[in-house]
Amino acid sequence: MSKGRDGDEPIFIRSNWGTSRYVYNPRNPVGVGLIIGSLLFAAIAMYSLRASSSWSEGELRDAVHAAVRDLEATPRTLGSWTGGYQSLIRDAVEETGEGPTSGSGVYVDAADDPYDKDADPSVDLFEVTAKDVDAAFCLSVSPPEPEPVLTSVEVSLSISVEEGRC
């Protein structure tokens, strides 16, 4: 294989593990450089994969606010087959293009407390969270979600966003 200038150790040597493959030679400075470079490349690749597959607080904030603008922009058609406000909000957050490229990890949960006598009956509360992020957003949606019927209902949504849990 490759020899150094003064007959030094070769850059590649045969593996001592019983195979006939070649490996980097740690006794050669170029081999050591290749070993370190390979480890750095693997570490950077793993970090970038992790970063591209999880939400950040800023991405979640931007996605929630963009989804709210989108939902308020045009009237929405609801029916028993559409899944209600929860799926409407989740789909709108996913369609913003923010966040990880694979797997959404966005959770939208109804936050209405049926036992709270002081709760405003003119709004439905939803909590938006994401996997790997501590941030949460409380969405107050009005008008309240209509009862599921076999026909479709068109609603114009008004949504306010607050950071934190509901």
Side-chain angles (χ1 to χ4, degrees):
M1 297 276 24
S2 302
K3 288 275 188 183
R5 276 177 266 154
D6 302 322
D8 301 0
E9 291 282 329
I11 297 171
F12 299 98
I13 57 174
R14 286 200 184 266
S15 172
N16 292 330
W17 288 22
T19 65
S20 61
R21 65 186 180 140
Y22 284 90
V23 295
Y24 298 136
N25 185 359
R27 291 191 280 294
N28 185 307
V30 175
V32 170
L34 289 171
I35 291 170
I36 292 171
S38 298
L39 292 174
L40 285 174
F41 175 77
I44 291 170
M46 295 297 284
Y47 176 77
S48 68
L49 283 173
R50 169 78 169 109
S52 69
S53 66
S54 62
W55 286 88
S56 70
E57 286 189 32
E59 289 173 333
L60 182 60
R61 181 181 310 106
D62 293 345
V64 168
H65 287 283
V68 166
R69 282 191 302 273
D70 181 49
L71 289 170
E72 288 182 324
T74 58
R76 301 294 168 163
T77 302
L78 293 176
S80 59
W81 64 90
T82 60
Y85 285 173
Q86 271 184 287
S87 62
L88 197 65
I89 294 168
R90 185 183 54 251
D91 292 345
V93 170
E94 290 173 357
E95 289 172 1
T96 62
E98 295 286 336
T101 55
S102 62
S104 97
V106 174
Y107 306 105
V108 178
D109 299 312
D112 288 323
D113 184 4
Y115 301 109
D116 186 5
K117 302 290 183 206
D118 299 328
D120 186 1
S122 65
V123 298
D124 282 343
L125 298 176
F126 294 94
E127 196 169 272
V128 179
T129 57
K131 184 178 175 186
D132 301 328
V133 177
D134 293 332
F137 295 89
C138 182
L139 277 66
S140 301
V141 182
S142 63
E145 187 172 341
E147 293 296 320
V149 292
L150 293 177
T151 60
S152 61
V153 177
E154 190 168 287
V155 292
S156 292
L157 300 175
S158 175
I159 305 173
S160 65
V161 180
E162 293 179 24
E163 286 197 34
R165 300 202 173 273
C166 294

